[in-house]
Amino acid sequence: MGLFSLKSNVDYIRSSRYPKPHNIYSAILVFALIILAVTTLSRIGLSLWQLERVNDAQGWSDIIFQGIRVDFATLCWLFGIAALGTALFAGNHAIGRLWALILKVWLTLGLWLIVFLEISTPSFIQEYGFRPNRLYVEYLIYPKEVLSMLWAGRKAELIFAFVVSTATLYAGWRLSDYFTRNVRTPRWYWRPVMAILVICVTILGARSSLGHRPLNPSLVAFSDDPLVNSLVLNSGYSLTFAIKQMSNEEEASKVYGKLDDQKVIDIIRRQSGRSAQAFTSTDLPSLTFNQATYQGKPKNLVIILQESLGARFVGSLGGLPLTPNIDELSSQGWFFENLYATGTRSVRGIEAITTGFTPTPARAVVKLGKSQTNFFTIAELLKRNGYSTQFIYGGESHFDNMRSFFLGNGFSQIIDQNDYKNPAFVASWGVSDEDLLFRAHDEFTAMHEQGKPFFSLVFSSSNHDPYEFPDNRIELYEQPQYTMHNAVKYADYAVGEFFKKAQKADYWKDTLFLVVADHDSRVGGANLVPISRFRIPGLILGGGIEAMRDPRVVSQIDMAPTLLSMMGISDSYPMLGRDLTQQAADWPGRAMMQYDKNFALMEGNQVTILQPEQAAKSFVYDFGAETLTSRELDTEQAENALGIALWGSAAYNNHWFTLPKQTQTEQQSR
């Protein structure tokens, strides 16, 4: 009995000092299960947060079961190569020890990436209405602005992310170290078999389909609510797919389908409202000569682009009482009641307002390579007509590639944060709107005194998260001070103070002003395209401008042609927007909206929406209730929508959206 007891103790000591070897795939399997638990719990938590929308979509079964399908595909992409390397290289030799180190790093960083993306997802959803996508990547290239914004407005979330990230890296490293030590490796003749099995499982799991197309977001989409569809995914998959799509983003035909180039050209020409005879160029299919309505001395132009100012914040558009100054000014000029932005980002608004370019599923042309020079802007057109052209901004003009795009396409002068001496207030995104607009007033005064006709794009930034602005300027709408609603009210205050100066200035009578938003703030909703969240204010002011409220549906791309006509600039350009001074009062209007990968064409209250790799859908829009009701597909409108959506990619890739080169005689005459 004693000998038996002694032997048992010795065996126990040996088993404690020399634990049972781990399976060759123990580390990968353990990390895969942890990640599966993280993504599933995150998906359930997000769904509970958005419970009403998930219930409306009857989406619990799709979210859970299709979500697991997406997670398995993600794990195959994430760890497939690691599993193959383990089958080939694991062992108690130099290569095996090196591979063990690589595997530990791989597993730890893979776990950290998934955890980090999931904990950052709620903030992204709150801002943009769906899981992380291409915008997540685009913001990463501006760490100074983004980190200062997050630190000022989301300290708790930033600290939480740091703590969780540190804990994940530490725990991941310790866990991977434990499971990659004392590994039981197979005999050499089993390794090729294991490698083949790994390749088969990885390919089949990553594709998650035996059909022609592998797994993609549209394959698991089941609802008309984009957010609910995105909950099926995990944020790692959502982001990776968006990055992959960015490589193909210049081709809208890969997203929506194809049409012959000539068919696209015929559609956009017809949709422009111009006669077929107006299009005289074969090299530049959208180029037309446009006669101005105003025949007097050409006026100056100032566009005040307001950051994130949706109609829901504007009292005179039925929104919250946050814009008393714009409301008062709206009774003094041409006020658009149904103006719609083309997108949800500032660069999309800049694209529409300054170039009149139609939106695409690609990034805005402000950030694309082929449009950095010789791409049409109204600055280039006005520069050819003898105007001084400038961009005035309170922040750093390199953000979103604005500086490069503007300098390459007709803007002669850029004023940004570094050009303000002793500003009254500096926030995360630059100087305050007061500093911006008062500097603009000084610039306009100086240019007018010198007798220079001028065009200036003035871009505000105070109404941007973290919503910082000077104290004691406004009566706060709510507490605490730095909120979206208070920032809107301050931005409106700055506009009001500017126009008090401008209306007394000598340049007022010779200048046309457009006050317009780039987009709404935090656009989201339960529809394929949340139409109401694209509605923005637009107001044309200036000496001799008659007061009127315009109920027609109009688009941001209509602003530039209308302004040129009202300024007295008759010239050729490739823009397809309508000159609203020459449209009948009973014209129902049209607008186009890009919401992530979905594209909407609205004509009056008739809407058709294109989605990636899915059939078009038609709706009726109720302006009062702000709802879309399904109807039978309007095939004609669907074809028009497809033609407009494809035009942008074709025009960009073929260099069609530009002005004809000037002859030496033309350059000298101007």
Side-chain angles (χ1 to χ4, degrees), residues 597-616:
K597 295 298 182 183
N598 293 348
F599 175 87
L601 174 62
M602 179 163 70
E603 297 173 300
N605 68 342
Q606 305 296 299
V607 180
T608 292
I609 297 176
L610 308 179
Q611 303 175 75
E613 302 177 10
Q614 294 191 36

Side-chain angles (χ1 to χ4, degrees), residues 294 299-300 448 502-503 505-513 542-544:
Y294 174 68
K299 297 192 174 196
N300 307 312
H448 186 266
Q503 289 176 335
D506 291 338
Y507 62 77
W508 171 260
K509 65 182 184 300
D510 298 320
T511 305
L512 196 65
F513 298 85

Side-chain angles (χ1 to χ4, degrees), residues 536-600:
I536 57 173
L539 172 64
I540 297 175
L541 289 164
I545 301 299
E546 295 183 4
M548 63 176 289
R549 293 179 70 97
D550 193 335
R552 298 174 295 180
V553 171
V554 296
S555 171
Q556 276 180 323
I557 70 166
D558 299 322
M559 293 296 100
T562 302
L563 292 169
L564 291 172
S565 181
M566 296 176 71
M567 292 168 64
I569 301 296
S570 298
D571 212 329
S572 296
Y573 53 70
M575 293 187 292
L576 296 168
R578 305 284 185 110
D579 173 1
L580 298 175
T581 67
Q582 300 186 34
Q583 296 298 311
D586 60 353
W587 176 59
R590 63 90 190 86
M592 51 204 69
M593 291 155 262
Q594 189 75 43
Y595 184 57
D596 193 29
K597 295 298 182 183
N598 293 348
F599 175 87

Side-chain angles (χ1 to χ4, degrees), residues 350-536:
I350 290 170
E351 171 188 73
I353 293 295
T354 64
T355 77
F357 198 60
T358 53
T360 71
R363 290 179 292 175
V365 293
V366 178
K367 305 186 76 170
L368 295 179
K370 293 181 182 178
S371 50
Q372 297 307 298
T373 57
N374 298 319
F375 195 86
F376 175 82
T377 68
I378 54 174
E380 178 63 34
L381 182 69
L382 292 173
K383 187 176 182 180
R384 291 191 180 190
N385 280 272
Y387 280 66
S388 297
T389 56
Q390 65 178 180
F391 172 56
I392 307 179
Y393 185 47
E396 296 183 357
S397 58
H398 70 85
F399 186 79
D400 268 345
N401 201 52
M402 293 185 293
R403 186 180 190 90
S404 174
F405 178 79
F406 288 146
L407 289 177
N409 291 298
F411 287 82
S412 299
Q413 180 190 21
I414 290 182
I415 296 171
D416 67 4
Q417 186 173 350
N418 296 326
D419 299 309
Y420 293 81
K421 295 181 179 179
N422 303 317
F425 183 84
V426 180
S428 299
W429 287 93
V431 302
S432 71
D433 283 3
E434 284 173 83
D435 291 299
L436 169 77
L437 289 167
F438 291 170
R439 172 62 183 267
H441 168 73
D442 292 340
E443 290 288 324
F444 305 156
T445 299
M447 286 187 288
H448 186 266
E449 288 176 351
Q450 296 168 18
K452 295 180 179 178
F454 60 85
F455 160 58
S456 183
L457 173 66
V458 184
F459 186 21
S460 74
S461 59
S462 291
N463 184 29
H464 196 300
D465 194 356
Y467 307 115
E468 301 163 305
F469 57 89
D471 298 333
N472 305 316
R473 297 299 199 274
I474 60 170
E475 181 180 345
L476 298 180
Y477 178 77
E478 60 193 4
Q479 292 291 343
Q481 176 169 323
Y482 297 144
T483 68
M484 181 193 304
H485 292 149
N486 288 332
V488 169
K489 196 169 183 182
Y490 168 73
D492 172 77
Y493 164 82
V495 169
E497 293 301 300
F498 166 77
F499 276 105
K500 288 177 184 177
K501 290 176 174 285
Q503 289 176 335
K504 297 176 182 176
D506 291 338
Y507 62 77
W508 171 260
K509 65 182 184 300
D510 298 320
T511 305
L512 196 65
F513 298 85
L514 170 67
V515 180
V516 66
D518 57 355
H519 57 84
D520 194 359
S521 178
R522 296 180 177 176
V523 177
N527 294 313
L528 291 175
V529 175
I531 302 290
S532 66
R533 298 296 294 275
F534 281 75
R535 185 170 170 239
I536 57 173

